[in-house]
Amino acid sequence: MQADLKWLDDPQTFRVNQLPAHSDHQWYLDYAEADQQSSSFTQSLDGQWRFAFAKDPQNRIKEFYAPDYDVSKWDLIKVPSMIELNGYAQNQYTNIWYPWAGKIYRRPAYALSPDDLQAGSFSQGTDNTNGSYVKHFDLNESLRGKKVRVRFEGVERAMYVWLNGHFIGYAEDSFTPSEFDLTPYLKDTDNILAVRVYKHSTASYLEDQDMFRFSGIFRSVKLLGQPKLHLEDLDLKPRVTDDFKTGIFNVDLKLQGQDGQVLIKVFDAQGNLIVDESKAAAERVGVHDIKVKDAHLWDNHHPYLYQLFVELRDQGGQLLEVVPYRFGFRRVEINADHVVLLNGQRLIINGVNRHEWNCRTGRCVTMADMEQDMATFKENNINAVRTCHYSDQIPWYYMCDQDGIYMMAENNLETHATWQKMGQDEPSFNVPGSIPQWREVVVDRARTNYETFKNHTAILFWSLGNESYAGDNLVAMQEFYKDHDDSRLVHYEGVVHTPAYRDRISDFESWMYLPPKKVEEYLQNNPDKPFIECEYMHDMGNSDGGMGSYIELIDKYPQYVGGFIWDFIDQALLVHDEISGQDVMRYGGDFDDRHSDNEFSGDGLMFADRTPKPAMQEVRYYYGLHK
Amino acid sequence: MDCTNKIHVVYDDGLLGLNGQDYQYLFSYEKGGLESMRFNGKEWLYRPLYPTYWRATTDNDRGNGFNFKSAQWLGADLAPKCINIDLTVDDRHFDQLPIAPLTNQFSNHEFAKQVKIEFTYETATNPAAQVKVAYAIDASGKCRIAAHYLGQAGLPELPVFGVRLIMPTLATEFEYDGLSGETYPDRMAGGVKGTWHVDGVPVTPYLTPQEMGMHMQSSRLKIVRNQTQNNADHDERPFALTVKQTDQPFNFSLLPYTASELENATHIEELPLKRRTVLVVAGAVRGVGGIDSWGADVEEQYHLPADRDYQFSFEIEPATIE
């Protein structure tokens, strides 16, 4: 198969040769590796790559992926990083309007009529900057002879991959892992991995989040080898009995490879072995309905986790792979009075929305950033996070499990400018809407989000995305989650604009920034869904005044769940100012970027350098009232 | 000697001077306000004390159009106009202000136990409102300042009502009894009562400089400086001034900038070099709001309607440095 530039224009082509999404577990050769969290099956490709920039697709470096193409004179770029922050393309911050607004007239394919393909919209887009990346690598000894995939953990926004001159695949969905099997073309040494990243494709319509508009390989790239028997997917479904005393352990495994043996062991936090099962390896292996008496339930105060190990052994009993995973027993539900319960108790969300942000590296954030954010949550009684409006880096989900932070795990989806114009609802070319050609791409985003993160205890709610209006395609996303997961609730806010879909989308009544009095009106009038503020207290500049009026609702109305403050951290970039000689914070519009929404990128409880704004003490106080 | 515990009053032609052993106040009839306040030889005023009505526009103010609606108060803040001065020395009320040639009747041996002087200002608004700032100085040199905004129908809501003292040099530190952090009427539940020490005169690094640094419900503020602009003053020892609560706690901000300096900057680095200290003592502060930043107003109870009176007072005196 050959790569086709036209895929950029086609909403129905969003993954080509990509491996199916699967659980985010890590696999190791043995327990010693698992202990060190250092897998000999993993080889990092982070670091310096060769790089060439092109201002549009017509100027792309053709055939650069050919093995004899000389890239030795190319620039070097750090992977992961954003192309813009390396100075190749202009920084731009825009909230609702697409970045091309006023420069290129575009409408989404099929949005105005079923035969309107909008051919060439992005493949010939004069704004479609792109980067060609090349990495030479030798395979680590430990990966040789194995089936090996490459995993891109985050690439904005459309990516073509070649290995040793062969086309490997194509991916969109910037914020979830994209994996491709490299095995057929892989050599032990002197491999050439070539990636072309386009800033725009039809995915740009789906990624209209209120943020700086960047591109590039901005999360890690890894090679992952697998042993002859490998756990491809882990699906834990821990349950809790009605009396909240007993945990019920369920696990379904998808295996790849040869025959062998599967051992499933679960230890409690004290190290007692409480599940010990052995099965013959098969494509699908399951263990169901094992009772765990006097189970410790997981919540924010006691994020008690059990330790699972899946051991894969060959028929001789030799250990081939070990997969550790920690999970908790907890139960989230809505009772007959429309009150959200966690483990039978009323759940109160003292939450924040959190963009991944670093003022030096943009959306390329480090473990240290995440750890600092988690410490800030703890210090300020923040018990919940909405991953706005995309999937976060994988480690963040593990940290939330461990620290008891409730997650609203949101899909990578926002199409704000396709339905809201100058403050008015005007969905004349809304996507995904009910347009058949836009259905699979959004359901795929739901699927990938679900499959990747389904085992995380911290996730109590799935969220279909942000500010994308509503139509049959949002219903299809909702149905995907409901069909695959009856242990969590589904949230979507945008349905408030389309009451006709209210019964088919969202377990919550959610209306961002609804003033306290309006929220109260809803709560006083026989609420048939619990109310959650998926965004409230817009913390732009000197703000967060009047928070008490929301917190009072918690005591008055059991159907009020609480909410997520907008948002956690300012999006600003640290730049050296020649005039003052200082390193200073810059925001939208400071890079000659037009259209820009200027300082609207700074709505955080934290300044962009991760120091708290003065308002944080108010959050700590109010969130401390219902800890 | 009687004069050591009395104020030495100098009835000059355009100025009223109040002098004591370790203090000196100069009230300027021309400038329409307190021009100089000197303790132990150290000057505390760079420009006369005037009322203040404007706060640098917050992002929320801009989003809900409050800056447009209340723009008149920016002009009023920038352009004070004194329309009357009323003087009482001990029991003697001056029906006519003692300016030249009435001043010829006095000598260099005029003493008093208490002097009260009240300045009335007209605001540059349509319609105009009136504000009175009254000073009462006793023989110890302590000064009580009372400000009174007289409600006027037909005017937009006030961003703030207070008085502004601009000090000639930058403070090195300050300490106050009140609530921790930056607080506003609608954002002070999280403020912890205590004595708080602040090094320097920090600017809160909001992306766009805006109203900042308010401290609600304070009972005492001590400001420390160690530099003057007096070319003959070579003493670098720190010196301090105390602001004290009278009947009610006061609100204050202490910043290196005026509201209009903050208003003009789109980034922190565009602000001038820090060189002065701007103390705003506020009697009434509008809330900051935060429901959203594109239209939602501050909650009703945190507005400052202009047709209502606002009054507050506080005391100033020199402080000792331990």
Side-chain angles (χ1 to χ4, degrees):
Chain A
M1 183 188 267
Q2 291 303 306
D4 189 344
L5 202 57
K6 293 195 181 82
W7 294 339
L8 299 175
D9 304 320
D10 178 8
Q12 297 178 96
T13 305
F14 47 86
R15 53 195 299 156
V16 176
N17 290 347
Q18 230 183 301
L19 296 176
H22 59 81
S23 62
D24 65 350
H25 64 279
Q26 306 245 26
W27 60 95
Y28 302 92
L29 178 64
D30 54 30
Y31 279 93
E33 283 191 0
D35 222 37
Q36 303 285 315
Q37 294 184 15
S38 168
S39 175
S40 56
F41 294 127
T42 302
Q43 178 177 347
S44 172
L45 293 185
D46 291 352
Q48 299 293 322
W49 290 44
R50 288 288 170 186
F51 180 77
F53 177 77
K55 66 184 176 61
D56 58 35
Q58 281 55 54
N59 285 287
R60 73 191 186 279
I61 320 285
K62 297 191 177 84
E63 314 289 320
F64 79 108
Y65 45 81
D68 56 354
Y69 193 96
D70 180 12
V71 296
S72 62
K73 303 285 193 305
W74 282 18
D75 293 350
L76 289 167
I77 195 169
K78 183 173 173 252
V79 168
S81 71
M82 322 267 17
I83 289 173
E84 288 74 8
L85 297 182
N86 287 282
Y88 293 100
Q90 189 174 12
N91 294 331
Q92 184 180 5
Y93 163 66
T94 168
N95 171 12
I96 298 171
W97 300 133
Y98 284 107
W100 54 79
K103 299 167 207 161
I104 295 176
Y105 180 89
R106 281 193 175 107
R107 289 292 180 266
Y110 309 108
L112 293 176
S113 88
D115 48 10
D116 180 11
L117 270 64
Q118 293 282 323
S121 189
F122 294 103
S123 62
Q124 295 171 38
T126 52
D127 59 342
N128 200 359
T129 57
N130 56 88
S132 298
Y133 292 75
V134 173
K135 182 73 171 174
H136 276 85
F137 67 91
D138 295 338
L139 207 54
N140 285 355
E141 297 275 354
S142 56
L143 272 70
R144 293 182 186 176
K146 294 191 170 60
K147 194 173 174 188
V148 174
R149 72 187 75 190
V150 62
R151 177 199 284 169
F152 296 88
E153 296 192 342
V155 178
E156 285 189 79
R157 175 162 297 102
M159 163 179 60
Y160 296 79
V161 183
W162 295 263
L163 180 73
N164 297 328
H166 301 275
F167 177 65
I168 293 293
Y170 172 79
E172 296 180 357
D173 193 354
S174 305
F175 295 89
T176 51
S178 303
E179 294 183 351
F180 305 94
D181 184 15
L182 299 183
T183 317
Y185 306 115
L186 196 61
K187 302 183 287 182
D188 285 351
T189 58
D190 206 22
N191 290 288
I192 299 167
L193 183 66
V195 182
R196 177 137 50 222
V197 177
Y198 288 91
K199 187 160 185 167
H200 294 302
S201 72
T202 48
S204 298
Y205 283 112
L206 305 176
E207 298 180 7
D208 191 28
Q209 289 94 340
D210 171 11
M211 60 192 188
F212 272 91
R213 308 304 173 100
F214 290 138
S215 59
I217 304 176
F218 73 101
R219 290 181 185 162
S220 288
V221 183
K222 293 183 175 105
L223 297 173
L224 299 164
Q226 59 191 67
K228 290 191 175 106
L229 182 57
H230 168 66
L231 175 60
E232 179 65 14
D233 186 65
L234 170 73
D235 188 1
L236 284 161
K237 285 217 163 60
R239 313 260 173 200
V240 179
T241 52
D242 291 346
D243 62 3
F244 299 101
K245 288 191 172 145
T246 304
I248 301 170
F249 175 78
N250 294 287
V251 67
D252 289 292
L253 310 176
K254 285 183 194 159
L255 304 182
Q256 289 180 355
Q258 64 179 33
D259 290 344
Q261 224 186 342
V262 186
L263 278 69
I264 296 162
K265 297 175 179 178
V266 177
F267 296 88
D268 66 17
Q270 286 70 45
N272 302 307
L273 182 64
I274 56 168
V275 175
D276 190 6
E277 297 279 327
S278 173
K279 299 258 176 182
E283 220 167 284
R284 284 164 192 262
V285 173
V287 167
H288 300 117
D289 294 331
I290 299 182
K291 290 198 169 61
V292 177
K293 282 188 183 160
D294 302 318
H296 298 271
L297 303 188
W298 179 97
D299 68 11
N300 173 252
H301 296 104
H302 302 101
Y304 191 102
L305 294 176
Y306 290 81
Q307 176 71 59
L308 165 78
F309 290 106
V310 178
E311 289 176 20
L312 302 184
R313 294 177 180 273
D314 68 14
Q315 282 176 321
Q318 170 78 29
L319 186 61
L320 299 174
E321 178 177 286
V322 58
V323 172
Y325 213 96
R326 297 172 77 201
F327 69 95
F329 289 103
R330 54 109 184 88
R331 177 161 149 179
V332 59
E333 61 201 317
I334 298 174
N335 74 6
D337 296 325
H338 314 290
V339 177
V340 178
L341 305 179
L342 176 66
N343 301 334
Q345 306 291 314
R346 181 179 168 200
L347 175 68
I348 289 163
I349 294 294
N350 299 316
V352 293
N353 284 274
R354 176 180 168 275
H355 266 292
E356 291 187 317
W357 190 256
N358 178 299
C359 63
R360 290 182 170 81
T361 55
R363 274 191 287 285
C364 178
V365 302
T366 63
M367 282 301 290
D369 294 332
M370 288 184 249
E371 282 160 7
Q372 196 178 335
D373 291 351
M374 188 55 75
T376 303
F377 279 27
K378 294 298 211 184
E379 281 162 25
N380 294 290
N381 302 318
I382 295 164
N383 73 1
V385 65
R386 176 177 181 226
T387 67
C388 58
H389 307 293
Y390 43 79
S391 308
D392 287 341
Q393 280 197 42
I394 292 168
W396 179 246
Y397 297 80
Y398 284 94
M399 289 164 70
C400 289
D401 290 343
Q402 182 178 320
D403 287 306
I405 298 300
Y406 307 134
M407 299 186 88
M408 176 180 277
E410 191 155 84
N411 286 316
N412 176 22
L413 179 64
E414 176 164 346
T415 66
H416 206 159
T418 71
W419 62 275
Q420 196 171 55
K421 289 129 197 185
M422 298 203 294
Q424 303 301 310
D425 287 9
E426 198 291 293
S428 54
F429 62 88
N430 171 237
V431 287
S434 301
I435 305 167
Q437 293 89 340
W438 287 86
R439 179 188 175 103
E440 280 314 307
V441 63
V442 294
V443 172
D444 185 67
R445 286 173 182 234
R447 179 185 299 111
T448 306
N449 193 44
Y450 168 76
E451 293 293 355
T452 308
F453 300 112
K454 58 184 177 283
N455 294 318
H456 287 285
T457 305
I459 298 174
L460 305 186
F461 322 127
W462 300 110
S463 181
L464 304 184
N466 187 60
E467 295 181 318
S468 299
Y469 207 60
D472 294 348
N473 294 341
L474 268 296
V475 173
M477 295 174 80
Q478 161 102 13
E479 285 171 353
F480 176 88
Y481 282 114
K482 288 292 177 187
D483 287 348
H484 288 80
D485 190 353
D486 59 2
S487 71
R488 295 181 176 101
L489 306 177
V490 177
H491 166 270
Y492 180 63
E493 192 262 0
V495 72
V496 293
H497 299 273
T498 52
Y501 285 95
R502 189 172 180 276
D503 294 339
R504 300 165 69 195
I505 297 177
S506 188
D507 295 319
F508 294 91
E509 184 77 2
S510 173
W511 195 325
M512 53 175 69
Y513 308 108
L514 197 65
K517 286 199 174 87
K518 294 278 187 190
V519 178
E520 187 158 25
E521 262 176 43
Y522 170 82
L523 292 164
Q524 281 174 337
N525 288 287
N526 304 313
D528 57 350
K529 289 182 180 182
F531 192 100
I532 196 163
E533 286 267 8
C534 66
E535 296 178 21
Y536 78 121
M537 296 315 297
H538 193 263
D539 230 278
M540 184 174 173
N542 188 352
S543 182
D544 196 48
M547 187 175 169
S549 300
Y550 285 105
I551 302 302
E552 281 170 17
L553 298 174
I554 294 174
D555 293 325
K556 288 167 80 175
Y557 303 99
Q559 291 84 6
Y560 186 63
V561 187
F564 300 87
I565 289 173
W566 187 268
D567 59 354
F568 182 66
I569 185 165
D570 278 359
Q571 289 180 53
L573 289 165
L574 194 70
V575 167
H576 186 73
D577 174 35
E578 296 293 340
I579 294 170
S580 68
Q582 299 169 344
D583 289 339
V584 300
M585 289 296 175
R586 290 284 158 85
Y587 49 77
D590 286 344
F591 305 95
D592 292 347
D593 47 322
R594 307 287 186 278
H595 166 73
S596 174
D597 287 288
N598 304 100
E599 67 272 25
F600 203 76
S601 64
D603 321 324
L605 288 170
M606 306 288 278
F607 292 110
D609 65 357
R610 289 193 152 71
T611 55
K613 279 188 190 170
M616 189 61 101
Q617 68 175 4
E618 197 78 350
V619 174
R620 179 166 62 239
Y621 170 78
Y622 279 122
Y623 278 180
L625 295 180
H626 302 92
K627 270 174 88 167
Chain B
M1 269 277 286
D2 204 21
C3 61
T4 56
N5 51 23
K6 282 193 171 179
I7 308 165
H8 176 209
V9 183
V10 176
Y11 295 93
D12 223 313
D13 299 324
L15 293 163
L16 181 77
L18 306 180
N19 300 284
Q21 211 156 35
D22 48 15
Y23 63 86
Q24 171 196 287
Y25 292 90
L26 295 180
F27 292 94
S28 167
Y29 304 143
E30 292 169 302
K31 294 178 176 170
L34 175 61
E35 181 187 358
S36 168
M37 182 168 71
R38 189 179 283 237
F39 297 121
N40 300 308
K42 307 283 188 181
E43 180 58 56
W44 282 90
L45 283 179
Y46 179 66
R47 287 290 184 270
L49 183 155
Y50 290 124
T52 182
Y53 316 101
W54 189 251
R55 71 171 187 202
T57 305
T58 66
D59 291 318
N60 280 279
D61 289 342
R62 211 181 326 275
N64 64 37
F66 177 72
N67 59 339
F68 174 84
K69 284 180 274 191
S70 289
Q72 287 194 59
W73 291 115
L74 172 59
D77 190 88
L78 290 171
K81 180 183 176 186
C82 177
I83 56 168
N84 189 53
I85 302 170
D86 191 83
L87 177 66
T88 304
V89 177
D90 287 334
D91 297 331
R92 180 179 176 188
H93 177 257
F94 286 83
D95 294 330
Q96 211 181 340
L97 194 66
I99 53 174
L102 298 179
T103 43
N104 292 335
Q105 64 184 287
F106 298 106
S107 73
N108 196 34
H109 299 283
E110 308 290 342
F111 294 94
K113 283 189 170 163
Q114 192 186 47
V115 174
K116 291 182 180 174
I117 184 165
E118 182 183 83
F119 295 82
T120 302
Y121 300 92
E122 181 185 279
T123 61
T125 54
N126 185 16
Q130 287 196 3
V131 170
K132 294 176 186 296
V133 179
Y135 301 81
I137 289 110
D138 69 17
S140 72
K142 196 191 315 180
C143 178
R144 182 179 193 274
I145 301 175
H148 183 184
Y149 168 86
L150 286 81
Q152 171 65 53
L155 284 173
E157 291 175 1
L158 285 150
V160 64
F161 173 58
V163 297
R164 179 170 57 227
L165 293 84
I166 303 179
M167 299 165 189
T169 60
L170 195 62
T172 54
E173 59 189 291
F174 66 99
E175 184 183 277
Y176 67 96
D177 296 334
L179 300 173
S180 60
E182 196 184 83
T183 45
Y184 289 87
D186 57 351
R187 199 186 73 208
M188 51 190 270
V192 178
K193 275 189 182 169
T195 297
W196 303 100
H197 186 94
V198 181
D199 285 326
V201 188
V203 171
T204 313
Y206 294 118
L207 278 187
T208 304
Q210 54 196 274
E211 161 65 27
M212 62 175 72
M214 189 57 71
H215 299 283
M216 301 297 294
Q217 297 288 311
S218 309
S219 58
R220 182 188 66 98
L221 164 66
K222 179 171 154 182
I223 303 165
V224 181
R225 294 158 59 213
N226 64 6
Q227 284 186 315
T228 68
Q229 291 195 315
N230 177 354
N231 59 298
D233 181 358
H234 307 296
D235 178 6
E236 289 176 359
R237 283 174 299 174
F239 54 97
L241 169 147
T242 305
V243 179
K244 279 186 179 164
Q245 163 182 350
T246 50
D247 20 301
Q248 296 291 322
F250 60 92
N251 315 309
F252 78 94
S253 64
L254 194 76
L255 297 168
Y257 305 115
T258 62
S260 52
E261 285 172 322
L262 294 171
E263 187 77 49
N264 277 338
T266 67
H267 295 77
I268 296 162
E269 64 273 19
E270 295 163 13
L271 289 164
L273 296 174
K274 290 181 179 183
R275 62 174 76 242
R276 318 223 186 268
T277 307
V278 180
L279 169 65
V280 169
V281 181
V285 178
R286 179 183 166 86
V288 288
I291 289 174
D292 66 39
S293 306
W294 49 89
D297 206 343
V298 170
E299 289 183 297
E300 189 77 32
Q301 63 268 40
Y302 307 113
H303 291 207
L304 304 179
D307 58 359
R308 193 191 294 168
D309 278 28
Y310 298 98
Q311 294 188 66
F312 67 97
S313 63
F314 58 98
E315 269 178 9
I316 286 186
E317 61 181 30
T320 50
I321 300 278
E322 287 103 38

